[in-house]
Amino acid sequence: PGPMSLVAQLNVQRGTERRPPQAVRSLRQPFDPRAFNFTRIRPGEVLLRLRRAADGGGGGGAAPDHLLVAINVSPLERGHVLLLP
């Protein structure tokens, strides 16, 4: 109830079972391909691929962009997915 119709949820496991975040020491930190990054998504984690129209709606004729919808292996809640442009 309320004017904004917001829902608040407490997910205790998120705090206790969370994977430790990567240490970021600098904005210019070199890329580490062994650390977590979205290029390492396994094929079974991809739920679907979305493709924009060939001209991207802007008439420029650019190659189509692909968007991935992937399973979140560290979900906040059941059904939590990632939209990856």
Side-chain angles (χ1 to χ4, degrees), residues 6-70:
L6 298 175
V7 175
Q9 176 181 338
L10 174 62
N11 185 336
V12 177
Q13 284 120 342
R14 181 69 178 167
T16 59
E17 298 175 12
R18 180 178 178 213
R19 170 179 67 229
Q22 287 178 256
V24 177
R25 294 175 181 85
S26 166
L27 292 176
R28 296 178 181 254
Q29 188 168 315
F31 178 72
D32 181 357
R34 295 167 300 172
F36 171 80
N37 68 77
F38 286 108
T39 65
R40 296 178 59 188
I41 294 175
R42 292 173 282 193
E45 295 172 359
V46 176
L47 296 173
L48 58 109
R49 297 173 190 274
L50 303 173
R51 186 170 51 105
R52 192 176 304 169
D55 70 357
D65 291 332
H66 292 273
L67 302 170
L68 297 180
V69 177

